[in-house]
Amino acid sequence: MNALRRQTEPDGVLEDSASAAVKAQLRLREWVLAGDLPAGGRVTEVMLAQRLGVSRTPVRAALVKLEQEGLLQALPNGGFVVRTFSEQEVADAIELRGTLEGLAVRLAAERGVRAAVLEQARACLDEIDEALRDASLSEAMFSRYVELNARFHRLLTEMPGSEVLRNEIERAAALPFASPSGFVGVRVGDAAARDALVVAQYQHRQVLEAIARREAGRAEALMREHSRLARQNMQQALRAPAGQGLPGVQLIRSA
C-alpha cells in the first residue's frame, strides 16, 4: 500500500497531538521502508511538512530521530538523504546484536535467573510452537512469530538484570535491519522460510535450557549461532524476486 496515497486521511490531527513528532517519525519511517521516499533521494522539512499536513517542528524532530536510527543522513547544506547500506554493513549490525545478546545470555547463566522468569520464557516458546503449527504459511502466522520472537528476545535481554546491557542491545537492534525479526517474513508462503523458523525455535529452546543449567559458555555460543540465521535470511531477501522482499530491502546494496 502506498503510504503517500494515504496522506489525505486525518494527518492534520498530528498537529494537535503531544505525540506529533512520534507520529511523524512512524509515518516517515514507513515511507522510507516502503520506497515512497526512495533510496538516495533528498528530503526536506518543507516538503515533508506539506505531505503530512503539519508544521515543520514535529517533522524536524522526526528527521533527527530517523537520522539517529541510521535511515537518513544529514546533508552539509541542509536537508537529509535516504541512506543506502551495503550488505556487509547490515551483516555487521546483525553480528553486533548477536554478540551483545550472547553476552546477555552468558551473564544470565552465570548470575542465575529466577524460576518464574524462566517459566515465562518457556511459555513464550510454547506460543511460538503453536504459531508454527499453522501449515498455511500465511502472513498471519509469520506476523505472530515476529511478535512472539521479539518478546522472547526481550526476555533474554532482561535476564542478566543489567540496564546498561539492555540499553546497548536495544540500541544495536534499532540499527537498520538488525532487529531479531528483521528478515523473518521475507518469503511468506515459502516452506523453506518456515523451516528456518523451526530451526530458530530449536535454538531458542537450547539457549533457554543452557541458561537454566547455568551453562554460560554454551548459552553464549548458541546465541551467537542463532544470529547467523538472520544473516542467512538477509541473503535470501536480497536474492528474492522483486516484490517478495522485506520492506526496506531496496535500501541494501548487494555490493
Side-chain angles (χ1 to χ4, degrees), residues 28-60:
L28 294 182
R29 184 193 294 120
E30 178 186 347
W31 289 356
V32 169
L33 295 178
D36 295 324
L37 295 176
R42 187 172 183 269
V43 294
T44 64
E45 291 177 15
V46 174
M47 176 265 288
L48 294 175
Q50 290 175 346
R51 289 184 175 179
L52 285 168
V54 299
S55 71
R56 292 171 61 178
T57 300
V59 171
R60 184 179 305 120

Side-chain angles (χ1 to χ4, degrees), residues 25-195:
Q25 177 187 348
L26 293 175
R27 182 60 59 85
L28 294 182
R29 184 193 294 120
E30 178 186 347
W31 289 356
V32 169
L33 295 178
D36 295 324
L37 295 176
R42 187 172 183 269
V43 294
T44 64
E45 291 177 15
V46 174
M47 176 265 288
L48 294 175
Q50 290 175 346
R51 289 184 175 179
L52 285 168
V54 299
S55 71
R56 292 171 61 178
T57 300
V59 171
R60 184 179 305 120
L63 289 171
V64 170
K65 286 291 188 181
L66 291 182
E67 181 192 17
Q68 293 171 349
E69 290 182 16
L71 288 175
L72 299 179
Q73 181 177 353
L75 296 172
N77 58 345
F80 294 81
V81 65
V82 178
R83 284 192 60 193
T84 60
F85 306 88
S86 70
E87 187 172 338
Q88 186 60 58
E89 286 174 324
V90 176
D92 288 346
I94 294 171
E95 181 72 17
L96 174 60
R97 175 182 58 79
T99 299
L100 291 172
E101 287 186 329
L103 174 60
V105 298
R106 175 168 68 81
L107 291 178
E110 290 174 351
R111 297 171 180 178
V113 179
R114 290 185 295 111
V117 176
L118 291 173
E119 283 307 308
Q120 187 178 1
R122 290 191 182 102
C124 182
L125 294 183
D126 289 343
E127 290 188 68
I128 293 178
D129 284 339
E130 188 63 32
L132 291 177
R133 290 192 182 97
D134 180 357
S136 68
L137 305 176
S138 64
E139 184 174 345
M141 183 274 280
F142 280 95
S143 295
R144 180 62 173 159
Y145 180 91
V146 167
E147 174 190 348
L148 293 168
N149 184 56
R151 184 195 305 173
F152 179 72
H153 278 259
R154 192 161 52 246
L155 287 169
L156 293 181
T157 298
E158 295 169 355
M159 284 181 183
S162 170
E163 185 174 351
V164 170
L165 184 54
R166 178 176 58 79
N167 288 339
E168 290 305 313
I169 292 174
E170 289 179 356
R171 192 191 311 275
L175 294 170
F177 313 103
S179 74
S181 300
F183 291 93
V184 161
V186 64
R187 290 181 298 168
V188 173
D190 189 331
R194 180 186 175 279
D195 290 345

